[in-house]
Amino acid sequence: MAIQWFPGHMAKARREVQEKLKYVDIVFELVDARLPKSSRNPMLDQIIQQKPRIILLNKADLADPVQTQKWQNYFNNLGYETLALTAKNDKSVKQIVPAAKKVLAEKRARDKEKGLKERAIRAIVLGIPNVGKSTLLNHLAGKKVATTGNKPGVTKGQQWLRFNSQLELLDTPGILWPKFEDPEVGKRLALTGAIKDDLLQLDDLAIYELEILSRFYPEILMERYQLSEDDLFQPAAEILMEITKKRGFKDDYERGSELLINELRQGRLGRFTLDRYEEKVD
């Protein structure tokens, strides 16, 4: 199931982000904690280059905590400051500014030695759709977002949002990439709702979901759908048929597929991680 998404936008997206990076101190790279690798934009490393960044593993409340910790350690070992958080949780979001100060400590110390007055950290949030950018901005802002005005050199239409005396964010759309070279990435993003459902077959996606859950989280399927261990030794297509019948849909496998996918997206299946740390490619 190969998926192509937003073809033709790479050059434009790259130009826009590179222009905006001139005016920020740090990049907040927002990814889905359930997809720590698949939800990272492969363009960003080349675009951001040496610009300081923090990787924010959002939706950590929906992810497997053991896997999340492994991914945090992995990114930390690559030299990135990493936070696991839930963007809709104010306490969780409050970790971001202290982490940014830590990353920028040396630069801020040099500025102080030069006699420069300490100012708010200027940042940009980059991430693909459905990783929680809007939720993060809303919870950083509360009800007191104030526009600080255009900074010199910033192109028309871009605004700086001041969230408190310590942080300003450049308000800008997210950055996308045009296609998935690895079809597994497309399927994982589709399963969590980052891609429109009309781009794929729901039964194929449901079967993919069952393959992952039966392998890594069999207890989720057994508890939610009253399946036995023997049921899970069947091919995923057979498991889908079993669940469809148990839910009273008879042979309506499309309806059974929709049920499986929606319940996963709605958090009814509990915490899971689709990108397995053990299967990472360095």
Side-chain angles (χ1 to χ4, degrees):
M1 181 174 60
I3 300 173
Q4 292 197 5
W5 188 35
F6 301 107
H9 286 60
M10 181 180 290
K12 180 180 178 181
R14 179 171 178 166
R15 277 197 312 272
E16 289 180 352
V17 172
Q18 285 178 321
E19 179 66 24
K20 293 160 187 171
L21 284 174
K22 300 175 185 177
Y23 309 109
V24 302
D25 303 310
I26 191 168
V27 172
F28 296 153
E29 181 185 356
L30 198 61
V31 301
D32 188 326
R34 300 167 298 177
L35 305 162
K37 195 171 185 69
S38 296
S39 62
R40 295 191 74 200
N41 189 325
M43 295 171 60
L44 287 190
D45 284 346
Q46 185 177 5
I47 294 172
I48 294 174
Q49 296 187 17
Q50 300 305 311
K51 179 72 68 173
R53 94 173 84 172
I54 299 175
I55 296 177
L56 303 178
L57 296 168
N58 189 31
K59 304 185 182 182
D61 58 320
L62 302 177
D64 180 336
V66 175
Q67 284 288 312
T68 298
Q69 186 60 61
K70 289 180 179 180
W71 279 108
Q72 278 194 268
N73 294 340
Y74 170 73
F75 290 129
N76 289 341
N77 288 336
L78 291 178
Y80 300 117
E81 183 72 16
T82 311
L83 290 178
L85 54 81
T86 303
K88 61 186 178 183
N89 182 293
D90 292 335
K91 182 178 180 180
S92 183
V93 168
K94 287 179 180 178
Q95 303 175 79
I96 295 176
V97 170
K101 287 183 175 181
K102 176 182 176 182
V103 172
L104 295 171
E106 291 186 10
K107 178 183 182 300
R108 290 162 72 87
R110 290 195 301 270
D111 289 345
K112 186 176 181 180
E113 289 178 0
K114 294 176 183 177
L116 298 176
K117 184 179 179 180
E118 186 173 290
R119 58 168 174 76
I121 293 170
R122 295 172 184 164
I124 186 173
V125 181
L126 296 179
I128 68 170
N130 205 40
V131 292
K133 181 188 172 191
S134 295
T135 303
L136 176 62
L137 292 174
N138 289 338
H139 280 265
L140 277 170
K143 296 181 180 180
K144 299 180 180 179
V145 176
T147 302
T148 61
N150 292 331
K151 302 294 182 183
V154 179
T155 57
K156 186 177 181 181
Q158 298 173 13
Q159 292 183 322
W160 289 88
L161 303 178
R162 179 184 289 275
F163 295 105
N164 51 47
S165 61
Q166 303 179 79
L167 179 66
E168 294 177 4
L169 284 178
L170 183 57
D171 185 24
T172 180
I175 180 173
L176 312 170
W177 77 99
K179 69 177 181 178
F180 309 116
E181 300 296 339
D182 182 354
E184 292 292 302
V185 171
K187 288 188 282 189
R188 292 172 186 178
L189 288 168
L191 195 52
T192 55
I195 301 171
K196 292 181 179 180
D197 288 339
D198 58 8
L199 295 178
L200 45 97
Q201 296 292 324
L202 288 185
D203 55 345
D204 287 342
L205 195 55
I207 287 172
Y208 181 72
E209 173 185 342
L210 288 169
E211 289 172 346
I212 292 180
L213 294 182
S214 61
R215 181 180 176 189
F216 297 109
Y217 303 102
E219 68 284 353
I220 286 178
L221 294 176
M222 289 189 289
E223 180 178 348
R224 183 69 184 175
Y225 302 111
Q226 290 79 54
L227 299 175
S228 67
E229 289 188 28
D230 289 340
D231 290 329
L232 299 184
F233 282 109
Q234 302 178 88
E238 297 293 326
I239 301 174
L240 174 59
M241 288 190 284
E242 184 71 20
I243 293 173
T244 299
K245 292 175 182 177
K246 282 181 177 290
R247 287 303 174 101
F249 301 150
K250 296 184 179 180
D251 294 330
D252 190 348
Y253 306 128
E254 187 78 9
R255 192 174 174 190
S257 298
E258 188 175 353
L259 168 79
L260 273 166
I261 295 166
N262 286 339
E263 291 204 334
L264 180 142
R265 291 176 181 173
Q266 294 164 6
R268 296 183 182 180
L269 301 187
R271 302 174 71 168
F272 64 89
T273 296
L274 299 178
D275 282 351
R276 310 300 296 177
Y277 168 78
E278 294 78 11
E279 298 176 356
K280 72 183 186 304
V281 179
D282 292 315

